[in-house]
Amino acid sequence: MSETITLIDEEGVEHEFEVEAFLDVEEQKYAVLVPQSDECVDEAVILRFGLDEKGEQVLFDIESDEEWDKVADAYDAFADEEYQMD
């Protein structure tokens, strides 16, 4: 059974995601999430774990292309390893 989480966007709308993977890249932790809505089921979302102003752990968008490329490469390596295990 796969793990799912619910995220709430800026407008207060809830979105369901399946957790595809957790990745550690250069001392940062990331979540690879697959939306459970019908219109974007083929698009994974990668978010970075961090702390908000209250000190609570939240997920943030990746804003730099360099960070995105590093995490995408780590996910590709993870996916290749998973594929080889099947």
Side-chain angles (χ1 to χ4, degrees), residues 70-85:
K70 288 178 186 177
V71 178
D73 288 345
Y75 178 66
D76 287 343
F78 168 83
D80 287 346
E81 185 177 303
E82 287 292 308
Y83 177 74
Q84 290 177 1
M85 294 176 78

Side-chain angles (χ1 to χ4, degrees), residues 40-60:
C40 56
V41 73
D42 292 336
E43 298 179 23
V45 177
I46 302 175
L47 300 172
R48 178 178 35 85
F49 284 92
L51 300 177
D52 67 7
E53 61 277 351
K54 298 177 188 174
E56 295 178 17
Q57 192 171 51
V58 295
L59 293 167
F60 293 98

Side-chain angles (χ1 to χ4, degrees), residues 1-84:
M1 180 175 196
S2 59
E3 182 179 350
T4 60
I5 62 171
T6 302
L7 299 179
I8 302 170
D9 66 18
E10 294 85 17
E11 287 89 37
V13 178
E14 293 184 356
H15 302 275
E16 293 288 323
F17 293 87
E18 179 180 341
V19 178
E20 177 78 15
F22 292 111
L23 304 171
D24 291 310
V25 179
E26 295 184 358
E27 299 182 25
Q28 292 285 332
K29 188 168 184 112
Y30 299 87
V32 180
L33 308 172
V34 177
Q36 296 302 291
S37 63
D38 291 336
E39 61 267 4
C40 56
V41 73
D42 292 336
E43 298 179 23
V45 177
I46 302 175
L47 300 172
R48 178 178 35 85
F49 284 92
L51 300 177
D52 67 7
E53 61 277 351
K54 298 177 188 174
E56 295 178 17
Q57 192 171 51
V58 295
L59 293 167
F60 293 98
D61 288 328
I62 298 173
E63 296 183 7
S64 82
D65 290 340
E66 181 181 342
E67 182 181 13
W68 177 260
D69 290 341
K70 288 178 186 177
V71 178
D73 288 345
Y75 178 66
D76 287 343
F78 168 83
D80 287 346
E81 185 177 303
E82 287 292 308
Y83 177 74
Q84 290 177 1

